[in-house]
Structures are given as C-alpha cells and as structure tokens.
C-alpha cells in the first residue's frame, strides 16, 4: 500500500485510520488528549462593521457554527458580556466529564478574534491562560486581521504555552471570495500564513467545498496549492446554507447546485489523497442546527460523517497524500 520511501511520513496510517487526524497530532505532541473550550469574547469582523465591507460573508450566520446554537447550556455560558474566566469555569464540569481530561485549550472562536487593539487582546488571552485548566490558546481569525504587532503578541505567548491560529481561507479562488463578500483575496491569506510561520505558532486554515463558482477540478486543485504553504492543519467544511444569511436569500431566489452526501464523500476522499500527509486534518465536515438549515438536508453529526469518509478511504484502499506529489496543480 505505502512504499518504504514514504513510510515514515505516513506513519500515522493504520488499517482503520487513513488520514492524519488532529487528535493524533495533539496526543503525539503532548502525550495526552487536550480538548478545546470555546470562548465568545464579543469580537466582530471588518466586513461586518463597514471597515472592509458590510453584511459579512454571505454564508455566515455565526449562530449556526457555534456550540451555543446547538447546546442550551452553551447558549447560557457563551455570552460576550460574560468574563472569559467565567465562561471557562461555567463550561468546565461538563467538559471534564465528557472528554475525561482536565487540560484544555482556550478556543476564541466567534468571528475574528484578533480584531481589536493589542492591549485588549493581551488582556483577554492572558485571562484565559490564567485559568489552571487552560494550557494553550487557539485563535480563529481572518488573514486581514493580523499585523506584525499582533503576531509578536502571539509569538510572545508561544514562548510559554501552545498557540494555534486558524485563518479563514475558504477558497484559493478570488472569484469565489468575491462572490461570498469575503473582503480579502487569496494572496492576503498566503502572505499572512508566511508572516505567521516560524514563530512557534501552529498555523491552520479553513476551506469550504461546494461553492457553485468552482468546478470539481478546481476544488481538487486546492490541496495541491495549500501543500506549498507552511500549514500544520486544515479544517474542511461542506457548503451549507443556513437561515438569515445573504446566501440563503440568494439560494431561495435562484437555487444553485448543492453537493449531495455521496458526492461530498467522494470529493473529500479525492481531496485527502491530494493533501500532503504532513498537514493534519482537524475537520472533514461541518454541520448546522436542523432548525436553521436550509440546504443540504442530508447533514448528520461529525463523528458519523468522519466514519463514512474513513470507510470510503479504506474501501478504495487509499490514504492521505497518495497523489499529493504526483498530481498536477491546475491553477
């Protein structure tokens, strides 16, 4: 299945697991499981407040992507007006019980979590790290919301704890980024990834598969382009449409094709084959609350979808990175 020249690089592969998972990476690095505890610090985005654009990305209703939308306890705990330490403390008992661990990364998730003055960011991050159960920071943000001063702040934190930054790439195609009102181009993402690398900070990206602006071949060129960047991990999402978004109004007015489940599984398997095995996969699929979901209607829970994708990899006797070196980049 795997020749000896690539065996070390693919050492994460087992008969039952055909891709490099983020859980495997964390356990290998720290010797134990460490989960994320989500924080909503009340940030917004520059394409919401008029700095870059207004209205936000056309697919974005942040309530559809946060734990608070799917968990009534989280809805109570994850309020921007609640201090960071209190948010952590309120969630901790159930998180410890669920994940059988007492160590967590503070995950600043909602909107763009570097979109504030450095002094404010330092205060928020420090408050999270002051909690005895928090051993690191995970910062979700946009590539146009960091600068040298903010990267220096994160680099300083990284001297004493784990720090990870997740940048929303979404697509490598400017035509798609324009179509979804993203407010930045792909080159902005590339430049920011390079500026972040080399600071002892894990760098990750989010991509979305299924935009009607892209062909299947274009989607499968994305991992080959991303392989050239100093990324540690990736989150792969399927395009889904939730209520109260510009994309929902657009879809209802002029419907466009949405991937069905079988097509999505096949597409992700092909994507994984082309993704370098040095990049760990944190997510293969994104779901949404059923009461907010417009399309597609086949969404299931993440664990079930992960299992289906891995089963398809096994059935095809393939694995992450199988064609990443030989495939031709189409862009």
């Amino acid at each position: 299945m795997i020749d000896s020249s690539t065996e070390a690089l693919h050492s994460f592969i087992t008969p039952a697991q055909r891709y490099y998972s983020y859980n495997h990476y964390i356990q290998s690095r720290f010797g134990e499981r460490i989960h994320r505890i989500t924080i909503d610090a009340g940030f917004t985005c520059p394409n919401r407040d008029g700095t870059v654009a207004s209205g936000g990305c056309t697919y974005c209703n942040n309530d559809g992507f946060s734990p608070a939308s799917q968990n009534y306890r989280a809805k109570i705990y994850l309020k921007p007006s609640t201090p960071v330490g209190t948010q952590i403390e309120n969630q901790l008992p159930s998180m410890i019980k669920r994940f059988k661990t007492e160590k967590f990364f503070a995950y600043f998730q909602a909107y763009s979590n570097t979109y504030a003055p450095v002094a404010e960011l330092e205060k928020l991050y420090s408050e999270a790290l002051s909690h005895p159960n928090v051993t690191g920071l995970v910062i979700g943000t946009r590539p146009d919301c960091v600068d040298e001063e903010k990267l220096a702040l994160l680099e300083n934190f990284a001297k004493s704890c784990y720090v990870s930054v997740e940048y929303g790439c979404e697509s490598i195609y400017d035509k798609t980024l324009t179509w979804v009102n993203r407010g930045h181009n792909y080159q902005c993402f590339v430049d920011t990834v390079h500026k972040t690398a080399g600071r002892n900070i894990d760098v990750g990206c989010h991509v979305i598969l299924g935009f009607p602006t892209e062909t299947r071949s274009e989607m499968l060129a994305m991992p080959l382009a991303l392989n050239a960047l100093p990324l540690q991990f990736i989150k792969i999402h399927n395009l889904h449409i939730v209520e109260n978004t510009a994309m929902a109004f657009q879809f209802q007015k002029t419907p466009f094709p949405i991937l069905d489940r079988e097509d999505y599984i096949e597409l992700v398997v092909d994507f994984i084959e082309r993704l370098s095995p040095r990049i760990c996969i944190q997510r293969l699929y994104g779901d949404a609350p059923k009461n907010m979901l417009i399309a597609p209607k086949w969404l299931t829970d993440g664990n079930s979808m992960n299992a289906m994708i891995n089963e398809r990899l096994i059935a095809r006797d393939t694995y992450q990175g199988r064609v990443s070196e030989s495939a031709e980049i189409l862009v």
Side-chain angles (χ1 to χ4, degrees), residues 246-317:
M247 187 171 288
F249 295 120
Q250 180 182 5
F251 181 77
Q252 290 169 335
K253 182 179 180 180
T254 309
F256 49 80
I258 295 288
L259 293 170
D260 64 29
R261 185 168 66 182
E262 183 65 21
D263 286 341
Y264 183 73
I265 291 173
E266 284 295 314
L267 178 63
V268 172
V269 168
D270 288 342
F271 189 104
I272 291 171
E273 284 186 317
R274 289 157 175 78
L275 184 68
S276 169
R278 68 171 178 80
I279 300 175
C280 65
I281 298 173
Q282 192 171 115
R283 181 185 290 272
L284 288 169
Y285 163 80
D287 55 11
K290 290 183 179 179
N291 64 329
M292 298 178 67
L293 182 66
I294 293 174
K297 295 297 188 181
W298 52 262
L299 296 193
T300 182
D301 66 277
N303 289 336
S304 297
M305 181 56 69
N306 290 347
M308 284 186 275
I309 291 170
N310 196 57
E311 287 169 4
R312 187 62 52 87
L313 286 162
I314 293 170
R316 285 174 43 175
D317 193 22

Side-chain angles (χ1 to χ4, degrees), residues 79-132:
K79 293 183 177 179
S81 59
T82 303
V84 167
T86 304
Q87 289 188 42
I88 294 171
E89 197 62 35
N90 286 342
Q91 297 176 77
L92 206 57
S94 62
M95 297 286 284
I96 291 173
K97 181 178 180 181
R98 178 182 178 186
F99 295 114
K100 307 296 189 292
T101 181
E102 295 194 1
K103 291 185 178 180
F104 296 90
F105 298 139
Y107 182 22
F108 288 81
Q109 179 186 26
Y111 297 110
S112 300
N113 292 271
T114 57
Y115 191 45
V118 167
E120 181 180 342
L121 297 176
E122 184 173 16
K123 180 179 180 293
L124 290 168
Y125 302 160
S126 296
E127 184 179 354
L129 287 170
S130 69
H131 194 285

Side-chain angles (χ1 to χ4, degrees), residues 146-161:
V146 296
D147 54 26
E148 180 57 36
E149 190 178 11
K150 292 173 182 177
L151 289 174
L153 173 68
L154 294 174
E155 184 177 13
N156 189 55
F157 278 115
K159 293 176 181 177
S160 57
C161 71

